[in-house]
Amino acid sequence: MSDILSGLNQRQREAVIKTDGPILIFAGAGSGKTRVLTRKIAYLLKQKKTTANRILAVTFTNKAANEMKERVNDLLGEANYVNIGTFHSIAARILRGEKNIEGFPSDFTIYDTNDTKKVIIQSLKQLGIDPKILPPSTVMHYISRQKQKLILADNIDVKTTGMYMQEKLAFVYKEYEQQMRKNNAYDFDDLLMRPILMFQNNPAIAEKYRHRWDYVLVDEYQDTNPVQFELMKHFTGISKNICVVGDDDQSIYGWRGADIKNILEFEKSFSNASIIKLEQNYRSTKTIIEAASAMIKGNHHRADKTLWTEKQKGDKILHKECARDFDEANYIANEVLKSGKSPRDFAILYRTNAQSRLLEEALRNRSIRYVLVGGLKFYERKEIKDILAYLNVLLNPRDTVNLKRIINVPVRGIGTTSLKRLEMFAMETSRSLWEAFQYPEEAGLHRSAKNQLRKFMDIMIQLQSKIQTLSPAAFTIEVLEQSELLSQYQDKKDPELLEKYENQNEFINSVKIFESFNPNANIKDFLQDVSLQSDIDQWEDTADAATLMTIHSAKGLEFKHVFISGMEDGLFPLERSRLDPKEMEEERRLFYVALTRAMEHVTITSTQQRMRYGQLQKIRASEFIHEIPAQYIQKDIISRKKQYKIISVPSRQKKAVSKFFPQTEPSGKRIVITPIRPPKPGSIAVGDKVKHKMFGKGKVRSIIRSSQVLLRIDFDNGVHKTIAEKFVEKA
């Protein structure tokens, strides 16, 4: 027992030994929350409060779950028996574990964001709706929000929604759900919603999971959405033993459904709750902690707590204001280069992924190694997606999205025309596309395509017979060889093709590694693990390279020196956030997260001019910088005496010029793209009727002025948009 409690401060010890009833642990940045959670699991088992398989520990990323498993294993050697996983993986286990439940298939495929978007596009096409009028991303966001509120497509009365666009969205939602059912597929929101629906429809199963666990521990509780809250409430309905750990000051996922009320109103949701605050920071210098703490007090909706540290004072935060966006990138790269430190000591954070381009160029020009988190992920590369598609279809033949992907990969002479005939035949005969593939003559395929399709189906049926007899790795190799996916890139002289071949081999390695850690797992378990990977799960922190990532991706990580780039009004905070106080508070929390990733040094960079929306804009430093008290920050402006002459260029040249601008710091006269100047701001007022080329007529609800004038418009067709003034005119 002394080993379990050793090295803990007083508050951490209190959090570990308090076991029964609802417990909320406010864990500030760098306060050792993972240590507390893992020690708490060990304490429960050592005190014989319960057995390992009666504990459920839930977090948000596989990386965090694996770290928790490793730490518990170091303490007890029993981690394999404790239920530790992400919300999505735990929910998927429940859905797969309950067999033959009507309406809840256990052999489903999990569709990632790209696959989901394909189904949405197909649904729009089926309904004859133009994706330009109703973008797939808008539909995806709408469907996600409905599912997070447990609103099913069949429960929306499209005739009473009252607004044209809402009716369209409801129609697409219904069509989307029909397509997903045909494909026997679930999206990420389904994984969380479906267990609750299963419990509502099956009282016996619901009762089973009320009694399933004696203790439930939840990490990053501030990021839970309403569905996740309902799951945790259900799991602890009998025991009442729920321990949640989180920090409302780091709640930064409201845009994807997270509800900060879950943590701020924990005592209302769970009666007789105990509250413990972990306020000692072990990560950052005193200057960083006091600066971040002072800044975050600008938020009104937060719990009362004060982060502190025994670490040294450390250097002041440096704010570097550069003349141009490429100056900013060059400055950051130069600082990394001349520091003499390992590249892995540095993280370069930004608000949006689009900011990475100039930063990458500046690092590459200086031969500085870097890792881009959130770029093209390994499992999203074409050659890897092809393998995953084969595996998914072999497990779930109703998976039309993946079946259409592989039918002509490698090329086998089954083109678009043949596929359309097969799809039409499937629809006319009420068959799945997989079933239609078994009747090529009836579908009207010509001889060559018919023979190739038969050959394809023979291979697939033969492979299906081996799923249960081969290990995941052996089965994957068999699929690669029989499908000829491997040979299409093997022994090629083209370096790009050889790289694809190497990636295929790396995929086999990933299956073998998974197999070694999960000896009883099958290929279905591996596919589920892959489908639930996040950006940060694929980041290797062992590489000697600087890390580039969005601030959202950085939460939970730490680096010796952090650069926070693009700290400008309109970019951070985002322009649209000014219209909503709740969004502004979330932007401020995001800045707090960025500051508290740093152990020793923070450098904030901003620019006086930045190329945005195809034009060079004058901008000012973010208001968040001014919320840091003067004693914690040092400001340094890089001025440029010689300004570049800005000249207009014909629109036909803009594409060619922008391709090369700006690669390096310009010298002398340089063409810069500047579109036609917008009308003088202020000509449109709140309440004015306006019209837009795409969205039609509407009324201005509010106006925001920063680097440009933005109008919040309620359009007559039900669309609500924030649009730059220059793109509308008075009606």
Side-chain angles (χ1 to χ4, degrees), residues 181-435:
R181 280 196 289 270
K182 286 180 183 177
N183 292 344
N184 193 24
Y186 284 164
D187 59 32
F188 292 144
D189 289 303
D190 280 323
L191 294 179
L192 301 178
M193 177 182 73
R194 297 288 167 182
I196 294 176
L197 298 179
M198 181 189 286
F199 297 157
Q200 291 174 352
N201 296 344
N202 300 272
I205 296 176
E207 197 64 18
K208 169 184 171 182
Y209 283 97
R210 281 195 189 94
H211 291 82
R212 174 65 183 82
W213 292 289
D214 295 329
Y215 291 90
V216 175
L217 297 86
V218 186
D219 191 13
E220 304 285 5
Y221 188 68
Q222 77 279 350
D223 293 331
T224 52
N225 63 30
V227 181
Q228 290 161 335
F229 171 81
E230 288 298 327
L231 277 174
M232 295 303 103
K233 190 97 172 170
H234 186 92
F235 294 157
T236 57
I238 300 298
S239 72
K240 309 298 181 187
N241 295 327
I242 180 170
C243 175
V244 304
V245 183
D247 180 10
D248 55 300
D249 288 335
Q250 297 184 72
S251 179
I252 59 174
Y253 288 107
W255 53 276
R256 70 180 188 194
D259 191 346
I260 196 172
K261 288 182 181 178
N262 287 353
I263 190 167
L264 292 179
E265 298 180 1
F266 183 81
E267 292 171 275
K268 292 182 181 179
S269 304
F270 299 92
S271 56
N272 302 316
S274 301
I275 310 295
I276 301 169
K277 296 179 181 179
L278 305 181
E279 298 170 296
Q280 183 176 359
N281 176 281
Y282 292 92
R283 175 187 299 150
S284 309
T285 63
K286 192 168 291 186
T287 294
I288 294 170
I289 291 304
E290 292 180 358
S293 298
M295 184 275 304
I296 198 61
K297 286 180 180 176
N299 278 0
H300 300 294
H301 298 91
R302 61 183 296 269
D304 181 28
K305 54 191 176 301
T306 303
L307 212 56
W308 60 277
T309 183
E310 292 180 345
K311 289 206 163 196
Q312 62 184 8
K313 185 176 181 180
D315 295 336
K316 286 187 176 183
I317 293 169
L318 177 62
H319 171 212
K320 208 80 171 178
E321 186 173 284
C322 306
R324 282 291 312 274
D325 41 13
F326 49 78
D327 292 318
E328 175 191 48
N330 288 334
Y331 165 74
I332 292 172
N334 284 337
E335 288 298 297
V336 174
L337 188 64
K338 73 182 186 182
S339 70
K341 297 178 181 177
S342 169
R344 67 176 298 176
D345 291 342
F346 297 90
I348 305 170
L349 309 182
Y350 35 80
R351 179 64 182 83
T352 65
N353 276 308
Q355 294 169 249
S356 73
R357 183 183 67 84
L358 288 175
L359 295 164
E360 289 187 74
E361 287 178 359
L363 293 171
R364 281 199 302 267
N365 288 342
R366 291 158 181 81
S367 299
I368 298 172
R369 294 183 298 278
Y370 69 89
V371 175
L372 180 67
V373 178
L376 183 62
K377 306 180 190 74
F378 177 77
Y379 291 110
E380 289 183 358
R381 296 175 184 182
K382 180 192 179 302
E383 63 273 18
I384 303 304
K385 285 281 284 182
D386 290 341
I387 304 173
L388 291 170
Y390 266 93
L391 293 172
N392 275 307
V393 170
L394 287 166
L395 288 167
N396 174 23
R398 287 165 57 190
D399 182 354
T400 304
V401 169
N402 282 314
L403 183 56
K404 288 164 71 174
R405 180 188 183 95
I406 65 173
I407 185 57
N408 206 35
V409 178
V411 176
R412 52 173 63 90
I414 305 174
T416 306
T417 302
S418 297
L419 184 57
K420 283 182 178 178
R421 287 179 178 174
L422 288 161
E423 287 183 290
M424 183 63 68
F425 174 71
M427 186 177 67
E428 290 173 349
T429 58
S430 300
R431 289 184 168 95
S432 69
L433 190 59
W434 172 267
E435 290 169 336

